Amino acid sequence: MSEGNESTTRRGQWSSRWGFILASAGCAIGLGNIWKFPYITGENGGGLFVLIYLGCIALIGLPIMLAEVLLGRATQKSPVGAYRDFSCKGSPWVIPGWIGVMTGFIILSYYSVVAGWALHYTWLSLQGGFSGMDAEQISSTFGSVFSNGTLNLGWHSAFMLMTVAVVIGGVRSGVERIARILMPLLFVMLLVLLGLAMQSDGFSEAFSFVFSPDASKLTRAGVLEALGHSFFTLSLGMGAMITYGSYLKKKEDIVSAVVVISILDTVIALVACLVLFPIIFSFGMEPKAGPGLVFVSLPIAFSQMAGGAVWATVFFALLVFAALTSAISMLEVVVSTIIDETRIKRTPATLLCGAAIYLFGIPSALSGTDGFAGEGFKKTTAVVFGEDQGKNWFDTFDYLASNWLLPLGGLMIAVFVAYRAGEAARRKGFEEGTRFQNLYVAWLLLLRYLVPIGVVAVLLHALKII
Ligand code: PFF
């Protein structure tokens, strides 16, 4: 099929099964793996948090991912149309589809700000890195980046422009092509950094931090965070995998593809921890540094390392690549819904959605300031989150989207596919193209019972109801 077909049929298609796997791995592997997972693992004390997260991936995330891809491939539509076609016209089930689109919109608006920090740090590293700076100067650099509204806006604009440029290119020559180039590069860069980390003194300490469970370090909120993050990292609950599944041909094996994507994502997150923590422990630093972990602790370590500027450049460029392939998937969900639901063509749809998301992200870019989005918003949200617990604009939307909207979105997809979809269509959607037809019943049982019970239990636990 030639690229021209995308404009005549109005719907793109991956060039092959590997095109889909790489693009979906690109969608799943992102800031969530390299920036967020290590710092939340650090904050939640390592081991046990990691174990719960792995359980959530295998028993909850994987079945939902399969449900999403199945829904997309069977209907060849993005979330709203997929829900509609799999139930019936006028069914209220399009509502979770729209909520998913809104979630993608929200996440991309602040994701782009973090990606902007990665761009800024790549730029700083290219200029000689952090050599000659002491720890205090480096941590104040991060503080001053976060509180510098103009700088954040500049990088947020640059990153959104890059994302829009790729999505305008379409499914095959935009999204798939960039994933085919950036994902292998990312794997190689991460392996090189792992080699470096393995030679450092802190490696064994880091290994046991990540892999030995310690119940005393995990809180109620930590369990919710592990679940929320398993959705975030696999890009579930907002229809990204429905959309990517909709560009798949009917003959492809989605069961094995989904397993490969989840394994790749999990391995990369664990490797990211094994790159970061050894370096952090070797330099006697705390794993609990929070969102600044990769932007403060790591540059401090790089500043004291031979060839630190080169390693820093490699690391931050890797972070940008990972962020870009995920950001395009979020924009793609919104854009493809607009294309499916209206007569608007890809280029104007992308420009329109990109601009709206960009505008909504401006307060996130200004969240480190004293103004409305920062201190002002903290005061306002203290009413909800409690005295001294107020969150700025950025943190509020990150908390809402990743801890609540994604798990709820995933729950709806599971309930919809397990209970609302017709048995014949569901079975056909699962079995088409796969050798693993005998796994159908096990998958359906997980989707029917374990997934809803697990998600609801964690949400009730977080609300202190159980
Ligand atoms: N999975 C991405 C990450 O780990 O960074 C984030 C993400 C992308 C979430 C796409 C949701 C999504 F639809």
Side-chain angles (χ1 to χ4, degrees):
M1 201 203 235
S2 78
E3 197 46 50
N5 287 8
E6 197 166 314
S7 49
T8 45
T9 62
R10 298 183 78 236
R11 210 147 227 298
Q13 213 161 49
W14 306 116
S15 65
S16 66
R17 178 169 172 272
W18 274 101
F20 165 70
I21 291 181
L22 279 178
S24 306
C27 156
I29 298 165
L31 294 171
N33 302 62
I34 302 167
W35 163 71
K36 198 168 181 187
F37 183 63
Y39 94 70
I40 59 177
T41 299
E43 284 181 335
N44 287 294
L48 186 60
F49 174 81
V50 174
L51 204 66
I52 294 181
Y53 160 83
L54 291 177
C56 290
I57 295 272
L59 298 172
I60 297 179
L62 222 152
I64 295 183
M65 190 191 276
L66 192 47
E68 286 204 20
V69 176
L70 182 157
L71 205 58
R73 183 180 66 163
T75 56
Q76 303 277 299
K77 293 269 168 60
S78 21
V80 175
Y83 268 113
R84 185 189 302 115
D85 282 10
F86 228 62
S87 48
C88 55
K89 224 180 163 125
S91 144
W93 276 101
V94 291
I95 296 170
W98 282 112
I99 295 177
V101 176
M102 188 187 81
T103 311
F105 185 102
I106 294 174
I107 297 182
L108 180 53
S109 73
Y110 68 81
Y111 200 83
S112 163
V113 174
V114 183
W117 301 342
L119 276 172
H120 181 63
Y121 273 70
T122 312
W123 173 243
L124 291 181
S125 311
L126 272 173
Q127 288 172 317
F130 307 90
S131 48
M133 286 173 131
D134 61 23
E136 210 159 300
Q137 285 169 316
I138 292 175
S139 65
S140 72
T141 303
F142 182 64
S144 58
V145 168
F146 190 46
S147 59
N148 185 339
T150 321
L151 186 82
N152 275 300
L153 269 182
W155 289 117
H156 168 55
S157 317
F159 186 78
M160 278 307 293
L161 279 176
M162 287 160 69
T163 310
V164 163
V166 177
V167 173
I168 283 183
V171 175
R172 204 179 287 182
S173 49
V175 179
E176 183 178 329
R177 172 135 53 121
I178 205 89
R180 277 185 186 272
I181 301 168
L182 296 186
M183 292 319 285
L185 253 176
L186 184 141
F187 296 144
V188 172
M189 286 161 119
L190 203 60
L191 278 183
V192 171
L193 288 171
L194 180 65
L196 181 78
M198 283 172 93
Q199 289 163 22
S200 71
D201 306 333
F203 191 76
S204 58
E205 192 183 343
F207 196 87
S208 66
F209 179 76
V210 177
F211 292 109
S212 356
D214 177 353
S216 68
K217 290 183 181 154
L218 194 67
T219 60
R220 231 174 235 281
V223 180
L224 176 67
E225 196 153 19
L227 176 78
H229 189 66
S230 69
F231 282 92
F232 186 85
T233 192
L234 292 178
S235 307
L236 301 177
M238 53 158 269
M241 297 310 293
I242 298 182
T243 308
Y244 274 24
S246 75
Y247 303 137
L248 259 179
K249 292 181 195 122
K250 295 275 169 91
K251 66 175 176 43
E252 307 292 1
D253 175 358
I254 57 173
V255 180
S256 63
V258 159
V259 173
V260 173
I261 296 162
S262 313
I263 291 178
L264 280 176
D265 185 78
T266 308
V267 169
I268 297 287
L270 295 174
V271 171
C273 282
L274 293 179
V275 165
L276 263 119
F277 289 122
I279 299 178
I280 283 161
F281 287 132
S282 313
F283 288 91
M285 284 178 292
E286 269 295 310
K288 280 199 210 131
L293 189 73
V294 302
F295 295 106
V296 178
S297 313
L298 212 57
I300 294 178
F302 285 141
S303 73
Q304 300 173 26
M305 227 182 239
V310 176
W311 296 121
T313 311
V314 171
F315 179 82
F316 288 112
L318 178 145
L319 204 57
V320 172
F321 294 169
L324 185 61
T325 51
S326 295
I328 57 184
S329 72
M330 291 180 237
L331 183 56
E332 183 62 32
V333 172
V334 186
V335 168
S336 79
T337 305
I338 300 295
I339 297 175
D340 280 356
E341 299 298 313
T342 67
R343 305 231 126 250
I344 305 178
K345 295 245 162 43
R346 176 168 282 272
T347 305
T350 312
L351 292 172
L352 204 72
C353 300
I357 294 169
Y358 170 74
L359 291 177
F360 194 75
I362 290 179
S364 282
L366 303 179
S367 284
T369 66
D370 291 337
F372 155 77
E375 291 306 317
F377 214 68
K378 267 192 198 164
K379 288 204 189 89
T380 316
T381 51
V383 181
V384 183
F385 296 119
E387 206 54 48
D388 294 334
Q389 306 276 312
K391 297 182 196 294
N392 58 32
W393 178 285
F394 178 114
D395 290 337
T396 304
F397 284 98
D398 179 26
Y399 173 78
L400 275 180
S402 35
N403 287 12
W404 294 95
L405 290 175
L406 292 182
L408 285 171
L411 177 67
M412 309 236 219
I413 285 166
V415 169
F416 177 70
V417 173
Y419 294 101
R420 280 290 303 156
E423 165 65 11
R426 181 178 50 224
R427 186 182 273 275
K428 183 163 174 255
F430 183 97
E431 290 182 346
E432 237 166 0
T434 189
R435 284 172 288 141
F436 302 102
Q437 296 172 346
N438 48 354
L439 293 178
Y440 176 75
V441 175
W443 166 74
L444 192 56
L445 285 177
L446 284 177
L447 212 58
R448 279 222 159 124
Y449 303 106
L450 196 93
V451 170
I453 293 172
V455 176
V456 170
V458 177
L459 295 182
L460 292 179
H461 185 67
L463 291 171
K464 303 205 171 102
I465 295 173
I466 53 173

